[in-house]
Amino acid sequence: MGRRFQHDILIIGSGAAGLSLALRLAPRTRIALIAKGPLTEGATLYAQGGISVVLDERDSIASHIEDTLIAGAGLCDREVVEHCVRHARNCIQWLIDQGVPFTRAGSRNGHADYHLTREGGHSHRRIIHAADATGRAVEKTLEQQAREHPNIEIFEHHLAIDLITSDKQERGGARCLGAYILDIREQQIHVFCARQTALATGGTGKVYLYTSNPDVATGDGIAMAWRAGCRVANMEFIQFHPTCLYHPQAKSFLITEAVRGEGGRLLLPDGSRFMQRFDPRGELAPRDIVARTIDHEMKRLGAECIYLDISHQPAAFIKAHFPTVYARCLEYGFDMTREPLPVVPAAHYLCGGVITNINGKTDIENLYAIGEMSYTGLHGANRMASNSLLECLVFAEAASHEMAQSLERISLAEKVPSWDESQVTDSDEEVVVSHNWDELRHFMWDYVGIVRSEKRLQHALRRCQLLSQEIEDYYGNFRVTSDLIELRNLVLIAKLIIHCAMTRRESRGLHYTLDYPEPDNSRPPAITVLDPTLHRATGDS
Ligand SMILES: Cc1cc2nc3c(=O)[nH]c(=O)nc-3n(C[C@H](O)[C@H](O)[C@H](O)COP(=O)(O)OP(=O)(O)OC[C@H]3O[C@@H](n4cnc5c(N)ncnc54)[C@H](O)[C@@H]3O)c2cc1C
């Protein structure tokens, strides 16, 4: 029998977004912090590059804003971009105050001077980093603070299944009362009641066959919010990283773009270079063009992967510049100082998500969404490198202010029903779940991946509808498992991506379709919004 927990605030997700929100609120409130695996497991832990912030005297806030707007291809919300860029410095200072060991360049007048790198799309050096493992430094530092805080109660290996909402009130909409959460180890479903709930569950990469994302990235928060009645936007804009290591055990190991920046060459299986045939910038073309070109060549040749070769550079140079990548590749049997690395493009980052205001508030009362799962308006049609961790930090700060201010006015709900398992039994066919996982990720890769078309999207949608029916039947009859919950969420995420992609009849930013290969400049660009109340009416949730 599941238990009942009561906290002021429930935070689901413990990456950069969830941890910083928890730490900012903890001095005044009691918090339950939920993670479906170990506390640190999430995209944040694997972020290599860094966080964008204007610190160099030659750089400017105006330039960071301008670069972000250009990358977003006409779909950024300028107010949100300005807000994020202006708050970046304070948020980085907050991380430094927590103890994050950013790489230093030296010190001036007794003050630390941090080393800044430059990445694609940025016109200045403005990426603060901790060697080539920034996310790990952030995650580990915040983890330690959270574990030591008396007001933060941590629940690891707890998977949120669904939000609990009140019926719509006479005036205004539904209120969020908490969530049903599966304790994975004890196989019990608990009720977590809270005055406010924040979702910070990260991205959706696992909907694709190849992804740089960790296994936890199954879009749970977006699916829960959608089922509860929140609108989502811009789900068609998925950033594909051009080069993930192709190896059965290295499911999501990313080979940083800096390898191409330092002279790495992309090769077909016959050893020939190909990028110059598609773009004069060759291997240094923007990330989306490189990913699309690799996808094109792999599909044309029926190749399983292509190769990234930097072995012409001196071994000492490679080891000094890419210590993490070199060591990890060696673990998988590839010595990048001597041979080309097999690589494939991989789903990397979702620009869209649950619609929020500038303080992270969603369409539902007392419910917030922050981090990669949210759509705030910062990224538009394409995310500029290193703006995503920044978004986690800035929106955690903004949400913490609004949540702290409104908390006093909200009371805990009294009548929250327990999870009902009276009608279900244990499953005897787990193979159905694993088979459907594989099928979904394959057809999403083939039909809704880097290059799309109306026909491919239709194919994928039809398969999604079939899978949905099967999974809902299964869900209604059998006791839930984590695999089943994640699969149910992924199929919903797939449908949201497909619906958004079908709505956008143009190619823009990260969305490329063969049927409309150019941007539609005949009208002002608009974001794609899906509303669950309208989709439910057509039976398509
Ligand atoms: C390989 C890689 C490199 C990257 N490099 C950079 C970079 O250099 N700079 C940059 O700005 N961005 C980078 N990004 C993107 C950035 O890391 C992510 O956008 C960001 O870390 C997302 O943080 P988050 O807090 O939203 O989610 P995450 O860090 O992914 O955390 C998600 C959390 O939600 C929890 N969760 C999920 N579902 C549930 C559920 N149902 N119940 C309970 N808990 C749940 C997970 O357990 C986890 O704790 C990179 C991403 C990857 C994958």
Side-chain angles (χ1 to χ4, degrees):
M1 180 71 179
R3 292 162 61 196
R4 228 160 238 272
F5 295 89
Q6 291 195 332
H7 293 82
D8 291 326
I9 290 175
L10 172 64
I11 298 176
I12 302 173
S14 56
L19 280 173
S20 27
L21 179 64
L23 287 168
R24 284 183 181 274
L25 285 166
R28 291 179 299 271
T29 35
R30 282 173 46 256
I31 291 164
L33 179 62
I34 312 288
K36 71 175 168 182
L39 195 72
T40 53
E41 185 60 12
T44 302
L45 188 70
Y46 301 97
Q48 296 171 354
I51 309 173
S52 52
V53 55
V54 175
L55 291 178
D56 189 304
E57 285 157 6
R58 287 152 291 187
D59 194 2
S60 69
I61 298 282
S63 165
H64 190 179
I65 292 171
E66 199 52 32
D67 289 346
T68 304
L69 293 173
I70 290 170
L75 286 186
C76 297
D77 180 329
R78 179 179 264 276
E79 190 197 345
V80 172
V81 175
E82 290 182 0
H83 173 78
C84 279
V85 170
R86 288 188 203 289
H87 283 78
R89 205 177 171 134
N90 278 346
C91 286
I92 296 299
Q93 187 57 51
W94 182 80
L95 284 181
I96 293 168
D97 295 342
Q98 304 304 306
V100 175
F102 288 114
T103 301
R104 295 184 179 205
S107 71
R108 241 184 304 164
N109 308 328
H111 292 293
D113 207 3
Y114 290 97
H115 183 258
L116 302 171
T117 57
R118 189 169 166 182
E119 286 183 340
H122 292 273
S123 43
H124 290 273
R125 281 185 173 268
R126 65 167 76 104
I127 317 298
I128 192 165
H129 62 103
D132 64 351
T134 309
R136 173 168 289 272
V138 170
E139 184 72 26
K140 291 281 181 186
T141 306
L142 300 186
E143 176 203 14
Q144 194 189 342
Q145 302 281 347
R147 287 198 190 278
E148 285 169 4
H149 207 294
N151 273 352
I152 301 179
E153 198 176 344
I154 293 172
F155 297 85
E156 292 171 279
H157 305 284
H158 278 63
L159 187 150
I161 305 172
D162 260 320
L163 295 168
I164 306 169
T165 53
S166 66
D167 287 339
K168 291 202 171 167
Q169 296 151 306
E170 273 175 35
R171 259 170 294 147
R175 283 183 303 131
C176 183
L177 311 176
Y180 293 114
I181 295 183
L182 170 71
D183 178 337
I184 296 172
R185 288 172 167 167
E186 286 184 13
Q187 284 299 302
Q188 299 276 353
I189 297 169
H190 305 309
V191 178
F192 278 76
C193 296
R195 297 200 272 170
Q196 291 169 322
T197 300
L199 295 167
T201 57
T204 57
K206 295 299 282 187
V207 78
Y208 287 103
L209 184 59
Y210 300 117
T211 176
S212 66
N213 292 186
D215 286 351
V216 293
T218 52
D220 299 352
I222 300 175
M224 284 191 274
W226 172 266
R227 285 193 292 267
C230 294
R231 290 168 305 148
V232 300
N234 278 11
M235 295 289 290
E236 70 274 37
F237 294 116
I238 287 156
Q239 191 166 66
F240 289 85
H241 195 284
T243 53
C244 237
L245 190 66
Y246 179 66
H247 184 279
Q249 267 88 52
K251 281 190 289 195
S252 53
F253 186 63
L254 191 116
I255 310 291
T256 163
E257 271 176 90
V259 172
R260 281 181 285 121
E262 297 299 342
R265 297 166 185 160
L266 290 167
L267 307 177
L268 294 177
D270 67 4
S272 62
R273 286 177 82 175
F274 58 95
M275 273 309 303
Q276 284 71 12
R277 281 194 277 120
F278 296 88
D279 192 291
R281 292 163 288 189
E283 279 83 355
L284 297 180
R287 189 183 271 192
D288 48 324
I289 293 179
V290 177
R292 206 178 303 146
T293 307
I294 295 175
D295 182 70
H296 176 272
E297 289 296 274
M298 279 174 59
K299 288 206 168 100
R300 181 177 71 83
L301 298 168
E304 285 187 335
C305 63
I306 54 109
Y307 295 86
L308 176 60
D309 188 13
I310 192 168
S311 60
H312 49 278
Q313 294 282 24
F317 173 90
I318 296 171
K319 289 179 194 170
H321 276 73
F322 308 109
T324 310
V325 176
Y326 172 72
R328 282 295 296 278
C329 288
L330 218 50
E331 279 172 33
Y332 296 116
F334 302 110
D335 181 349
M336 67 192 282
T337 64
R338 292 161 174 266
E339 61 191 331
L341 301 171
V343 291
V344 284
H348 186 53
Y349 185 79
L350 172 70
C351 294
V354 175
I355 295 180
T356 75
N357 72 6
I358 205 152
N359 294 323
K361 191 169 176 310
T362 69
D363 292 338
I364 292 184
E365 274 308 301
N366 308 335
L367 179 67
Y368 294 77
I370 53 171
E372 186 166 339
M373 63 159 293
S374 63
Y375 167 80
T376 63
L378 175 64
H379 305 303
N382 197 351
R383 170 193 74 131
M384 190 163 71
S386 292
N387 267 354
S388 35
L389 283 170
L390 176 64
E391 187 186 42
C392 293
L393 302 171
V394 171
F395 276 83
E397 188 202 11
S400 73
H401 291 313
E402 179 165 320
M403 290 171 83
Q405 269 169 19
S406 51
L407 190 68
E408 285 307 310
R409 298 194 296 273
I410 305 164
S411 49
L412 268 169
E414 280 166 12
K415 289 186 196 149
V416 176
S418 300
W419 181 261
D420 180 8
E421 285 197 307
S422 58
Q423 310 291 320
V424 295
T425 58
D426 282 329
S427 148
D428 53 357
E429 287 284 341
E430 277 298 311
V431 66
V432 175
V433 175
S434 58
H435 176 89
N436 285 345
W437 257 86
D438 284 350
E439 188 180 337
L440 175 73
R441 299 179 65 207
H442 270 93
F443 73 69
M444 283 299 288
W445 184 257
D446 288 339
Y447 297 150
V448 197
I450 300 169
V451 176
R452 299 159 180 175
S453 71
E454 291 285 316
K455 211 164 146 187
R456 291 178 189 178
L457 294 175
Q458 292 288 358
H459 277 315
L461 189 59
R462 275 201 295 277
R463 283 174 161 74
C464 270
Q465 313 286 26
L466 283 174
L467 280 187
S468 276
Q469 282 168 14
E470 238 175 85
I471 291 159
E472 288 307 324
D473 276 357
Y474 205 84
Y475 191 79
N477 290 315
F478 297 113
R479 202 154 276 134
V480 291
T481 61
S482 34
D483 280 352
L484 176 61
I485 295 165
E486 290 179 339
L487 175 64
R488 178 176 180 241
N489 291 336
L490 281 175
V491 175
L492 174 52
I493 296 295
K495 285 203 276 182
L496 295 176
I497 296 172
I498 296 168
H499 278 299
C500 282
M502 284 175 148
T503 309
R504 186 163 295 284
R505 293 170 175 260
E506 61 169 348
S507 291
R508 179 179 296 277
L510 298 167
H511 174 70
Y512 183 82
T513 167
L514 295 170
D515 299 304
Y516 309 97
E518 300 296 332
D520 177 0
N521 291 325
S522 65
R523 57 185 135 180
I527 65 168
T528 317
V529 177
L530 298 182
D531 183 335
T533 50
L534 303 178
H535 275 257
R536 288 230 173 88
T538 61
D540 188 16
S541 61

